[in-house]
């Protein structure tokens, strides 16, 4: 396209000098240049801490520090020397703080003391840890039923913290574990469990060194998984094809200059990454993969008709899969017209994808939120798996399925038992080890927890990290839900909006971050462990002095609440909190795959959890890799919007300067936006038309007909290279438009990537 777009100059690539400059700014801006820089050298090192940035795997040759701009931001955000002490809370009422932005709140720095909400003065006041634990325990025990409490987890919690948390909640009596993954990769877990018998990816970092073709679907690694870009780039340099499916032209996926490569930096050079950049309509990926399947089957039919060998991996299909015929029938029954309309791609583009697939011996497919946050996400991921099965691209070197996780330990939290629908084997193991009757009723996920708080059937909310009120849909309603609770408890490092809607009894409990030294009562340093997207489990130990002497580790805080709530008869919480090795021994005894945990996790790269699907053992209902035969959705939101004069479909994504609800800065460098976040991207022709009608700044209204009024006010229009009829803007500002009433089929994930909206002149009635 040769219209003016807001992206940076054509020559500028992702990474490069811009990344280095931005890093300096973030280290200095955090006012922690020294400890921040020292901390960085230890990120993802054998004897350092796991980077809190993302869940991408760590290279084998861990000695050379992998530079990552957004890792720098994550580390310096935590290593800041700014503080939010009791004096800060004395100066500001909670009502006043509710008027601040997320950016301003977290900009005040690290929390230093346990705080309790005082309704009379509308302020948080300091409180002792013992008083806090005692009151929280008493409040939890006063509830009519344990299912009235919600135990939320954000995916940064370590394996040790998450394990204790689930053990505590189950001893208390509930499986209510709303988890950030419900809003994230839930569809991946469900679809992969159905397809290959395990809800995780099957590839390792080494596979990226061998693949001939990599399909990157609905993901923006330049911003969200920058270290992945290095692996993609090395693959592209070897001659592997990188096929990108993304409605938006993301700079990081086009070209990349490696900040670690001095020659490249001096010459201002950069390398192309994507060999094919396809821009489907929002929610059009299932149709794109179905089209690929049509093209692949057609090529295979032709080969067979000419007496050539089949292009498919017939041995794999016969020995390891089930359901091919039904899927083939569904593919044949899907018309090209439907595929082209839904995907928004041309037949030539889809055939080119099939050609890359057929021309490669080893194929990897990766995906993230562009795939998982739609109504038909589970069906889409199953379709991706279907296509991958055709040539046996699961369970062999250089090939496989790779959902790229978000939070650095979201996968590990699930592994150690954060699961509102726990498998019986997990509960059986816990019962054997701890001699109690575990609750068997399924608990609440995020949407169910919100529903329960809104209708009053849930009365307590405990948050292990995260920013529940801002990360969820219909933010205003969720804030009301939290505020109507009897008890709210937030275990956190920095102040955020979820803390500003306290229940009748409200606590904010400050914890150590991953970069900080965690010493036990005998002065011995403790490590925690995490699992990355490649199922590698490794240790993480902080190196910075804690932000305040009053901080406690997440593990110690959970232990304190647990001891005050369920007592220490069955579990010696204090002893566990004092020696993380003992928690790992319990994990080893109750969760499969952790034999030798304490020894293996102290090896440089840790160890890999066994993944049976990667060995071609498929523990599905039929014991084989299973094809799905879902029809395409009748219409996607994009198609519905396109059929009207005035409705658009809006996706909410991340800028380059944010970590989920944490805003580091107001720039989105790769998309050419500086100093503001209230922008909405649109195709230049759509934009010209809107601007002519409404002016430069618009209000955005949600049009889902469920009785709720939804408005996001005052957004500036920015032209961008993307399909017509679609809009894009930033989460969490736009969460006021994401409806609680639409969710992914089976996954229950909010449909944050396909929100129906109309645009209006500012302040028009
Ligand atoms: N620096 C940084 N790193 C992060 C995070 C962060 O906020 N900041 N968040 C972490 C977390 S929790 C997560 S889950 C991951 C998120 O990582 P991503 O999934 O990369 O996150 P998003 O910014 O939501 O980007 C979604 C991408 O999908 C595209 N997309 C949207 N809809 C569609 C569609 O229908 N089809 C296709 N093919 N593409 C689509 C968008 O244009 C965008 O490029 O990153 C993790 N890492
Ligand atoms: N519209 C829209 N909504 C979305 C998404 C989207 O793409 N669009 N993405 C969804 C996704 S993928 C996710 S994962 C969720 C994220 O949802 P959450 O995980 O709930 O949100 P975060 O913004 O990651 O949480 C930030 C807060 O965590 C706390 N924190 C940071 N580090 C630590 C720590 O080490 N320990 C503790 N205890 N607390 C800590 C800080 O107080 C900080 O304010 O949001 C979802 N919401
Ligand atoms: Mo996520």
């Amino acid at each position: 396209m040769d219209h003016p777009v807001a992206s940076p100059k054509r020559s500028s690539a992702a990474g490069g000098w811009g990344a280095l400059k931005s890093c300096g700014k973030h280290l200095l801006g955090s006012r922690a240049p020294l400890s921040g820089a020292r901390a960085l050298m230890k990120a993802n090192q054998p004897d350092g801490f796991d980077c809190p940035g993302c869940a991408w795997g760590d290279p084998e040759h861990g000695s050379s520090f992998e530079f990552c701009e957004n890792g720098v931001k994550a580390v310096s955000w935590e290593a800041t020397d700014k503080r939010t002490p009791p004096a800060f809370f004395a100066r500001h009422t909670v009502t006043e703080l509710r008027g601040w932005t997320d950016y301003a709140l977290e900009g005040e720095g690290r929390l230093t003391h346990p705080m309790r909400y005082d309704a009379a003065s509308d302020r948080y006041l300091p409180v002792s840890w013992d008083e806090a634990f005692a009151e929280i325990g008493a409040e939890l025990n006063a509830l009519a039923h344990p299912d009235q409490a919600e135990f939320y987890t954000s995916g940064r919690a370590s394996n040790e913290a998450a394990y204790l948390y689930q053990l505590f909640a189950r001893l208390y009596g509930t499986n209510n574990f709303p988890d950030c993954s419900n809003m994230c990769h839930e569809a991946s877990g469900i679809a992969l469990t159905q397809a290959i018998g395990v809800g995780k990816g099957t590839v390792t970092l080494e596979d990226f060194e061998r693949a001939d073709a990599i399909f990157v679907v609905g993901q923006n690694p330049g911003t969200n998984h920058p270290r992945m870009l290095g692996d993609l780039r090395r693959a592209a340099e070897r001659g592997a094809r990188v096929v990108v499916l993304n409605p938006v032209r993301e700079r990081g996926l086009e070209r990349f200059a490696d900040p670690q490569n001095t020659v490249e930096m001096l010459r201002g050079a950069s390398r192309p990454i994507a060999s094919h950049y396809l821009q489907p309509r929002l929610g059009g990926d299932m149709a794109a993969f179905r089209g690929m399947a049509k093209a692949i089957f057609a090529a295979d039919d032709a080969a067979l008709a000419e007496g050539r060998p089949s292009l498919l991996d017939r041995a794999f299909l016969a020995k390891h899969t089930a359901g091919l015929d039904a899927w083939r029938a569904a593919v044949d029954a899907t018309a090209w017209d439907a595929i082209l309309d839904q995907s928004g791609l041309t037949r030539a583009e889809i055939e080119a994808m099939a050609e890359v697939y057929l021309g490669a011996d080893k194929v990897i497919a990766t995906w993230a939120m562009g795939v998982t946050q739609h109504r038909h996400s589970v069906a889409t991921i199953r379709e991706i798996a279907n296509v991958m099965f055709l040539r046996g691209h699961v369970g062999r070197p250089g090939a496989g399925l790779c959902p790229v996780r978000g939070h650095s330990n979201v996968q590990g939290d699930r592994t150690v038992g954060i699961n509102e629908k726990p498998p019986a084997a997990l509960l059986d193991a816990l019962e054997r080890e701890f001699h109690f009757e575990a609750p068997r009723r399924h608990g609440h996920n995020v949407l169910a927890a919100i529903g329960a708080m809104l209708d009053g059937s849930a009365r307590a909310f405990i948050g292990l990290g995260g920013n529940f009120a801002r990360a969820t849909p219909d933010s205003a309603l969720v804030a009301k839900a939290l505020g109507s609770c009897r008890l709210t408890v937030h275990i956190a490092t920095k102040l955020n909006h979820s803390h500003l809607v306290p229940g009748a009894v409200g606590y904010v409990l400050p914890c150590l971050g991953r970069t900080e030294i965690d010493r036990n009562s005998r002065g011995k340093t403790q490590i925690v462990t995490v699992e990355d997207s490649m199922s590698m489990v490794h240790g993480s130990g902080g190196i910075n002095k804690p932000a305040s002497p009053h901080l406690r580790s997440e593990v110690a805080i959970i232990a304190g609440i647990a001891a005050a709530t369920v007592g220490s008869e069955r579990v010696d919480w204090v002893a566990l909190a004092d020696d993380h090795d003992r928690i790992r021994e319990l994990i080893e005894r109750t969760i499969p795959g952790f034999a030798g945990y304490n020894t293996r996790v102290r090896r440089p790269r840790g160890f890999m959890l066994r993944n049976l699907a990667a060995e071609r053992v498929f523990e599905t209902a039929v014991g084989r890799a299973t094809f799905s035969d879902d029809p395409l959705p009748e219409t996607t939101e994009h198609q519905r919007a396109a059929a009207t004069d005035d409705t658009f479909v809006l996706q909410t994504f991340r800028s380059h300067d944010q970590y989920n609800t944490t805003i580091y800065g107001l720039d989105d460098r790769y998309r050419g936006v500086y100093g503001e976040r209230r922008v909405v991207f649109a195709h230049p022709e759509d934009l010209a038309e809107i601007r002519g009608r409404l002016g430069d700044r618009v209000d955005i209204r949600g049009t889902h007909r469920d009785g709720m009024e939804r408005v996001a006010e005052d957004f500036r229009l920015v032209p961008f290279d993307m399909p017509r009829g679609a809009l894009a803007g930033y989460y969490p500002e736009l969460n006021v438009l994401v409806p609680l009433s639409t969710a992914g089929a089976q996954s229950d994930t909010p449909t944050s990537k396909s929100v129906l909206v109309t645009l209006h002149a500012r302040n028009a009635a």
Side-chain angles (χ1 to χ4, degrees):
M1 291 189 183
D2 53 7
H3 42 68
V5 289
S7 50
K9 287 192 290 293
R10 278 285 164 211
S11 61
S12 70
W17 288 110
L20 284 186
K21 213 168 81 191
S22 163
C23 278
K25 203 166 92 186
H26 279 278
L27 282 174
L28 295 169
S30 70
R31 294 212 329 238
L34 276 181
S35 62
R38 197 166 68 99
L40 271 173
M41 304 311 290
K42 290 281 182 191
N44 294 344
Q45 296 300 299
D47 60 339
F49 54 87
D50 180 67
C51 179
C54 75
W56 190 247
D58 303 326
E60 186 154 21
H61 346 282
S63 59
S64 80
F65 153 65
E66 262 222 303
F67 175 89
C68 166
E69 178 193 359
N70 279 345
V72 172
K73 293 179 196 163
V75 167
S76 54
W77 176 87
E78 191 171 288
T80 175
D81 68 0
K82 294 183 191 161
R83 298 288 179 270
T84 320
F88 169 85
F89 290 98
R91 280 198 302 276
H92 307 285
T93 64
V94 165
T95 306
E96 181 208 329
L97 292 171
R98 274 202 290 269
W100 292 28
T101 62
D102 301 277
Y103 183 46
L105 287 176
E106 293 203 18
E108 290 294 321
R110 295 286 299 277
L111 295 160
T112 61
H113 288 67
M115 306 296 288
R116 182 185 188 282
Y117 181 64
D118 172 54
S121 62
D122 187 28
R123 284 180 170 81
Y124 271 105
L125 305 177
V127 60
S128 76
W129 282 106
D130 286 345
E131 278 174 81
F133 293 153
E135 189 178 23
I136 294 166
E139 285 291 335
L140 285 173
N141 284 324
L143 294 179
H145 193 281
D147 286 339
Q148 291 187 329
E150 305 289 350
F151 292 86
Y152 178 64
T153 326
S154 169
R156 215 179 285 210
S158 63
N159 283 355
E160 291 73 11
Y163 183 81
L164 277 199
Y165 195 58
Q166 63 82 35
L167 178 60
F168 157 49
R170 291 193 166 115
L171 279 164
Y172 171 66
T174 185
N175 285 310
N176 283 349
F177 293 111
D179 177 38
C180 71
S181 64
N182 300 144
M183 301 180 271
C184 185
H185 266 294
E186 188 76 45
S188 305
I190 292 172
L192 290 176
T193 302
Q194 294 169 355
I196 60 171
V198 52
K200 301 182 184 184
T202 65
V203 302
T204 64
L205 274 189
E206 286 69 32
D207 291 321
F208 281 82
E209 294 169 10
R210 297 180 176 162
D212 309 311
I214 304 171
F215 287 79
V216 180
V217 191
Q219 200 198 336
N220 183 21
T223 286
N224 298 314
H225 304 92
R227 287 178 299 120
M228 176 179 178
L229 227 48
D231 293 288
L232 289 178
R233 188 195 123 110
R234 283 186 286 278
E237 275 173 7
R238 285 190 290 105
R241 302 294 188 83
V242 176
V243 180
V244 171
L245 271 99
N246 197 315
V248 171
R249 275 217 170 243
E250 302 284 21
R251 173 71 21 187
L253 285 164
E254 292 186 289
R255 301 192 73 79
F256 178 58
D258 185 354
Q260 298 193 86
N261 180 330
T262 323
V263 175
E264 199 164 87
M265 290 290 289
L266 290 175
R267 297 204 342 250
S270 65
R271 303 286 179 131
I273 291 189
S275 59
H276 298 67
Y277 204 117
L278 306 171
Q279 294 176 272
R281 290 174 140 193
L282 290 170
D285 303 279
M286 183 176 180
F289 276 84
R290 176 127 321 171
M292 256 175 97
K294 268 182 110 65
I296 294 165
F297 283 129
D300 188 52
D301 290 348
L304 294 177
E306 290 165 18
R308 286 184 283 128
S310 171
L311 304 177
L312 310 184
D313 186 342
R314 295 284 172 185
F316 175 80
L317 292 171
K319 179 153 181 241
H320 290 293
T321 69
L324 173 61
D325 293 345
W327 179 50
R328 169 87 206 234
V331 172
D332 289 344
T334 315
W336 271 109
D337 280 353
I339 288 170
L340 300 185
D341 188 49
Q342 199 157 99
S343 69
L345 300 174
T346 64
R347 184 154 167 181
E349 285 175 314
I350 292 175
E351 283 170 347
M353 286 168 65
E355 216 168 284
V356 171
Y357 177 88
L358 286 169
D361 277 337
K362 303 174 213 102
V363 180
I364 290 175
T366 81
W367 66 91
M369 297 304 102
V371 170
T372 62
Q373 296 178 334
H374 294 289
R375 269 189 303 134
H376 54 294
S377 295
V378 170
T380 302
I381 297 162
R382 301 253 355 229
E383 192 75 6
I384 294 174
N386 286 348
V387 170
M388 293 289 281
F389 292 156
L390 283 179
R391 280 169 56 88
H393 291 303
V394 178
R396 62 186 171 88
L401 295 159
C402 180
V404 183
R405 303 279 164 180
H407 268 301
S408 50
N409 196 41
V410 62
Q411 186 160 318
D413 291 349
R414 286 290 199 191
T415 303
V416 301
I418 301 294
N419 189 342
E420 81 281 4
K421 300 189 200 81
L426 169 70
L427 299 181
D428 294 345
L430 292 175
E431 287 183 343
R432 270 197 307 276
E433 180 69 31
F434 300 102
H435 312 292
F436 75 116
E437 207 172 304
R440 298 273 160 172
R441 294 169 309 281
H442 285 176
H444 293 156
N445 62 11
V446 162
L447 289 188
I450 294 170
M453 285 189 279
L454 281 174
D455 71 19
S457 56
R459 307 286 301 132
F461 177 92
I462 318 281
L464 179 55
N467 189 355
F468 192 79
R470 300 287 280 157
T472 45
D474 279 328
S475 319
L477 213 57
V478 174
K480 214 164 84 194
L482 282 177
S484 69
C485 282
R486 168 72 197 169
L487 173 71
T488 53
V489 179
H490 298 280
I491 301 167
T493 48
K494 286 192 184 176
L495 187 63
N496 67 43
H497 270 282
S498 300
H499 311 156
L500 300 177
V501 279
V505 176
Y507 280 95
V508 173
L509 304 178
C511 65
L512 292 170
R514 246 193 231 163
T515 59
E516 291 167 325
I517 300 167
D518 178 5
R519 278 187 210 287
N520 70 4
S521 63
R522 282 160 288 128
K524 194 165 169 260
T525 57
Q526 300 292 305
I527 61 163
V528 293
T529 59
V530 296
E531 174 185 342
D532 67 29
S533 281
M534 281 85 198
S535 304
M536 292 293 300
V537 180
H538 51 91
S540 170
I543 59 156
N544 282 339
K545 195 171 151 238
S548 146
H550 307 288
L551 301 185
R552 294 204 179 170
S553 69
E554 290 179 346
V555 163
I557 296 170
I558 296 160
I561 298 175
T565 311
V566 299
S568 300
E569 252 167 59
R570 286 190 172 76
V571 180
D572 186 349
W573 302 100
V574 174
L576 288 180
D578 212 39
D579 183 356
H580 294 181
D581 278 357
R582 292 185 56 181
I583 304 176
R584 286 185 283 272
E585 283 163 17
L586 292 174
I587 295 177
E588 179 174 338
R589 285 211 290 273
T590 48
I591 311 271
F594 285 91
Y597 199 175
N598 275 311
T599 319
R600 287 201 291 161
V601 83
R602 287 185 165 88
R603 294 184 191 144
R605 272 183 94 204
F607 63 97
M608 189 174 162
L609 284 177
R610 193 164 171 206
N611 182 319
L612 288 175
E615 302 167 23
R616 295 196 162 174
V617 175
F618 299 107
E619 295 192 304
T620 59
V622 294
R624 287 162 171 248
T626 307
F627 285 94
S628 65
D629 56 4
D630 296 306
L632 293 186
E634 220 157 272
T635 60
T636 59
E637 274 71 14
H638 201 137
Q639 287 176 302
R640 278 161 64 193
T644 70
D645 283 340
D646 60 342
T647 307
F648 289 84
V649 60
L650 167 78
Q651 65 146 320
T652 55
F653 58 16
R654 292 152 172 82
S655 85
H656 195 62
D657 268 3
Q658 78 182 77
Y659 194 93
N660 297 341
T661 68
T662 291
I663 312 303
Y664 300 129
L666 302 179
D667 297 347
D668 192 7
R669 200 173 73 247
Y670 296 164
R671 300 195 186 106
V673 169
Y674 296 92
E676 58 181 338
R677 288 182 54 84
R678 298 188 85 80
V679 296
V680 56
F681 300 94
H683 185 282
E685 284 166 41
D686 284 340
L687 183 134
E689 184 273 324
I690 300 162
R691 197 180 262 161
R693 233 170 0 105
L694 307 172
D696 257 348
R697 303 194 76 96
V698 293
D699 292 344
I700 313 172
R701 281 176 192 275
T703 65
H704 285 270
R705 273 182 255 293
D706 56 5
M708 274 276 290
E709 278 270 316
R710 298 184 176 86
V711 192
E713 284 184 4
D714 198 14
F715 282 72
R716 187 174 74 87
L717 292 156
V718 175
F720 215 83
D721 188 344
M722 55 196 271
R724 294 204 66 170
L727 302 171
Y730 303 131
Y731 136 73
E733 284 82 352
L734 289 167
N735 283 39
V736 291
L737 299 174
V738 182
L740 276 168
S741 59
T742 64
Q746 299 182 65
S747 64
D748 234 8
T749 298
T751 51
S752 309
K753 297 289 190 273
S754 47
V755 182
L756 291 172
V757 298
T758 50
L759 301 179
H760 303 266
R762 284 282 296 131
N763 298 322

